[in-house]
Structure formats: C-alpha cells, structure tokens
Amino acid sequence: MKYNANEKGYYGQFGGAFIPEMLYPNVEELRQNYLKIMAKPDFKNEFDQLLKDYVGRPTPLYFAERLSAKYNTKVYLKREDLCHTGAHKVNNTIGQILMAKHLGKNRIIAETGAGQHGVATATVCALMGIECVVYMGEIDIARQAPNVARMKMLGAEVRPALSGSRTLKDATNEAIRDWINNPVDTHYIIGSVVGPHPYPDMVARFQSVISDEIKWQLKEKEGRENPDYVIACVGGGSNAAGAYYHFLDETDVNIIAVEAAGKGIHSGESAATSALGKVGIIHGSKTLLMQTPDGQITEPYSISAGLDYPGVGPMHAHLFDSRRAEFISVTDDDAMTFGLELSQLEGIIPAIETSHAFAVLDQKKFKEDDIVVINLSGRGDKDLNTYIDYFKL
Ligand SMILES: *Cc1c(COP(=O)(O)O)cnc(C)c1O
C-alpha cells in the first residue's frame, strides 16, 4: 500500500496531524476508533444499505458512445451525479454520520464554502434526527443563497463566520473552536480528504466505493477490472481519491488529476495547487498549498466553487510528488466549453467542477482501444446560473 496512509497518517512526507493541543482528545478518540468501527459488521451493513436505498448506489458506469466517437477512444462515465443530493459528497457524510452514532455523539458540526458539503451534512443529520450546525463565511452565505436555503429547510442551523475574509478558512476556524468547546457530544464532519489524520484516510475509505464499483462494472462490460486511465477533478480531492482508491497500487492504471487553472496558472487567479503550491500546513495536515513567500495562504480562485481551495489533500500531494499521478490544470474557459460539449453530446449537464475533467479528452491523446474512465462527480443544476451568465443562455 505505497500510496495509502501509514498508521501515523502519512502519505510519503505528507499528512499527519498538526493540531492545537486542545483538539488532541477529539482527534485521538476518532483515530483510535475509526478502523475498528468501520470493520464492525453492523456498521458495514448499515452503510451498504443506506448507500443502496438512500443514495441510490451502485451508480451506473455508462459507456459514452458519442463522446467516445469524437475522441476516438473508449470513454466510460462513473455517474456520481446520480447520487441523492447530486454528487459524491453524500457517500462520505453517510459514513461519518454512522461513525458519529457509533462514537455516541449526538451533535454534528461542519464547515462549508460553496455550501455543497453543508447540504450533504444537513441531509444525513435530517435522516438520523441529529442536531446540525454548519459554519459558513458571511460572504459565502451571500454568494450561495440556494444552498443556505436547502440547509435551513433540512433543519440545520447555519452560523455565519464574521472574522477575517469571512470565507471558508474563517468558517473552518469557527468549527474548530466549537469542537474544542464541545469535545464529548460533538462530531466534526469534514467534507474532503483533508484535515488531520485520520480524516483523509477515513474519507478516502468512504469514497472508495466508487472504484470498488468501477472494478466489477468494467469487468462486466469489458472483461477486465482495470481501465487504462482514470480521470477526476481535484478540489480537496475526495471524489478523485474514491475513483483512484482501488487502482493506486495497480501500475497499469494511469491516474490523471485535474485542477482548476482559473484564469490561467500564472494569472494570479487560479487554484492549481500542484503547479503553484509549496509544502505547508493547512487544516491540520502537511500538504501542498498555495502561499506567499512568508507562508500566508493565498486566496484561490476558480469559476467552480468546489475547486476553489488553496490546497489538496495529502494523498494527492504524494501522488504528485511521487509522479504516480499526472496533474493537468484546466482554465475556466476550457471547463465551460467542455461542460457544454458533454451536455450536447450525451445529454448530461455536469457540475462545473466535473467539467474540468472532460477538458483532458482534448489535452491528451488516447489510443483507440484505451479504456478511459472519467469520474462524473456531480450534476450541473446547482451551476445553472453560472452557465447562463457565461453562455448568455
Ligand atoms: C465538492 C465537489 C468537488 C470537489 O471536491 P473533492 O473533494 O475534490 O471531490 C468536485 N465535484 C463536485 C460535483 C463537488 O460537489
């Protein structure tokens, strides 16, 4: 398991748990218990049952005929857009709400930027009848009104973060402060493969159902489990981690990670962490992150709110550093173009995050008999206004 976390939570030189001492008991309780709980038959049964009946898994692995013809290769789409709530994020929140129950917690906190993780968290809290507080920057609350309304409708309390730049990192600080003050009854649901150990490993395991399904679905359709390429967009990296997970040690599978180049890698407005990032610590984990020479985190930019993150999870930092994965960055304009193309070739309107992954079909040349799996992380309904403004629809 060269590319997975070791027992201390390190992926090569990345990962670990760099946290204030006040937070240590909370993180340590989770670290000592997460693998034991995930291995319990009643945990596994309930997780599998909810993924099936509530989330709607397995999601299809769809052969995209017209897209394949255009790029003269075999393109399969893993349809995470068909999950309940419209993206892969719910795979993780289902796992963590069950984890919280097994740990005896009766209150959930989360932080959210674009609001998607907040909605996925509020959803599972409603499902379980558990109190839910979501921290969100005051600026993000104004920018993401529909998701704020969804969270409220689902019964969550949305608490504005009023300090600093009033965006994601300030919401994260508020959530951590809350957790320090409520160590006994509260579980903190983190939304991607980021944060201190054991979060990146735990979230990757919950999302690994994606590649688990790809394997048997591809075996059924093509007679082999391994594709030649697996492609996913990377914000924090959770949909990508899930799509890569069971292929990490299979060296015949090429892994491609797609980051947001925004208005261009060197435009000063991007989120291309592998190209611009340096080793640093963010959200309690050592990883690659965009920062000034004196170590201040740089404000990231992407047209897609879900890729607008200044770092990547430690698994991805290691996949980049070890060259196991190829990293490609895609601009706003290219993402929008390929989102429109997928809509018109296959009748699937993707989330703008996901659209970035499709630009790779043009940037790289694949062979006619290559099997290329693209993780279709989410649907585009939430992005309709951005598409409308961009294309003047
Ligand atoms: C949140 C989100 C992402 C980015 O998050 P990851 O943790 O990198 O997967 C990508 N696609 C969609 C549809 C999302 O909602």
Side-chain angles (χ1 to χ4, degrees):
M1 296 298 260
K2 257 169 79 180
Y3 300 102
N4 265 304
N6 68 18
E7 65 283 5
K8 296 220 163 90
Y10 277 88
Y11 300 81
Q13 61 162 313
F14 303 104
F18 297 82
I19 49 172
E21 199 168 315
M22 305 273 281
L23 206 56
Y24 181 79
N26 311 36
V27 174
E28 183 60 12
E29 181 188 19
L30 185 62
R31 188 191 68 78
Q32 284 185 6
N33 290 292
Y34 82 112
L35 290 175
K36 281 184 220 154
I37 290 173
M38 285 177 77
K40 282 186 184 169
D42 60 332
F43 180 93
K44 281 191 183 166
N45 289 340
E46 199 175 357
F47 185 52
D48 290 349
Q49 196 69 40
L50 286 170
L51 288 183
K52 179 165 177 275
D53 294 335
Y54 187 74
V55 174
R57 306 202 71 91
T59 59
L61 183 69
Y62 164 68
F63 177 64
E65 196 170 332
R66 301 219 308 135
L67 202 60
S68 298
K70 170 148 190 194
Y71 292 100
N72 200 29
T73 190
K74 287 191 192 169
V75 183
Y76 281 91
L77 308 182
K78 184 57 173 160
R79 299 290 309 274
E80 294 302 296
D81 59 316
L82 297 177
C83 290
H84 177 48
T85 68
H88 66 288
K89 284 193 175 72
V90 71
N91 301 325
N92 168 48
T93 56
I94 291 272
Q96 287 202 48
I97 198 82
L98 294 177
M99 182 65 61
K101 276 184 27 176
H102 279 258
L103 288 167
K105 310 285 173 176
N106 57 20
R107 179 174 176 270
I108 293 294
I109 56 169
E111 101 284 327
T112 194
Q116 294 300 113
H117 172 59
V119 171
T121 301
T123 299
V124 298
C125 289
L127 176 70
M128 296 296 172
I130 292 183
E131 182 190 344
C132 180
V133 175
V134 179
Y135 289 93
M136 193 168 183
E138 194 182 30
I139 302 258
D140 290 332
I141 288 179
R143 284 195 291 217
Q144 310 287 347
N147 278 337
V148 175
R150 286 185 185 103
M151 286 183 262
K152 288 183 177 168
M153 186 148 181
L154 291 160
E157 181 194 340
V158 181
R159 279 194 199 161
L162 304 170
S163 64
S165 59
R166 293 172 290 150
T167 58
L168 181 63
K169 71 174 164 37
D170 313 291
T172 304
N173 291 339
E174 296 290 334
I176 289 172
R177 199 164 305 146
D178 183 314
W179 208 21
I180 287 172
N181 290 325
N182 298 283
V184 177
D185 68 337
T186 298
H187 174 68
Y188 179 16
I189 298 191
I190 291 183
S192 190
V193 285
V194 299
H197 178 61
Y199 279 99
D201 185 49
M202 178 173 70
V203 176
R205 286 168 187 263
F206 289 142
Q207 292 291 358
S208 72
V209 63
I210 299 171
S211 48
D212 200 32
E213 289 173 6
I214 293 172
K215 272 186 161 273
W216 64 257
Q217 291 172 319
L218 211 52
K219 178 87 181 165
E220 259 179 33
K221 289 173 197 295
E222 293 280 349
R224 60 168 156 121
E225 291 188 336
N226 288 0
D228 297 292
Y229 291 88
V230 52
I231 302 176
C233 65
V234 174
S238 68
N239 87 89
Y244 305 159
Y245 197 86
H246 293 288
F247 303 120
L248 289 170
D249 294 314
E250 310 272 317
T251 47
D252 57 326
V253 181
N254 296 288
I255 294 176
I256 299 180
V258 185
E259 291 181 329
K263 296 183 176 162
I265 293 178
H266 300 293
S267 66
E269 289 181 85
S270 104
T273 306
S274 69
L276 301 171
K278 298 269 178 311
V279 178
I281 289 170
I282 183 170
H283 296 175
S285 151
K286 187 176 171 192
T287 189
L288 288 173
L289 75 132
M290 292 170 29
Q291 50 189 309
T292 59
D294 55 349
Q296 292 298 314
I297 294 167
T298 326
E299 204 57 45
Y301 164 82
S302 164
I303 195 168
S304 70
L307 300 187
D308 189 350
Y309 182 73
V312 287
M315 174 198 279
H316 299 288
H318 182 51
L319 291 175
F320 174 74
D321 198 45
S322 64
R323 297 170 193 258
R324 173 68 185 92
E326 178 180 1
F327 279 66
I328 291 180
S329 44
V330 168
T331 62
D332 288 356
D333 288 337
D334 282 345
M336 297 305 272
T337 303
F338 285 88
L340 186 66
E341 178 179 272
L342 180 69
S343 306
Q344 301 190 350
L345 280 180
E346 298 289 347
I348 298 169
I349 301 175
I352 299 174
E353 291 85 358
T354 315
S355 299
H356 286 73
F358 283 85
V360 172
L361 288 171
D362 195 51
Q363 288 199 17
K364 262 189 92 75
K365 186 89 191 97
F366 298 103
K367 295 204 287 287
E368 197 174 341
D369 59 354
D370 276 344
I371 295 175
V372 178
V373 174
I374 302 179
N375 197 37
L376 216 169
S377 57
R379 66 178 87 126
D381 306 32
K382 69 181 176 64
D383 294 322
L384 208 58
N385 278 327
T386 312
Y387 281 127
I388 289 170
D389 291 345
Y390 188 88
F391 291 115
K392 317 250 177 300
L393 300 172

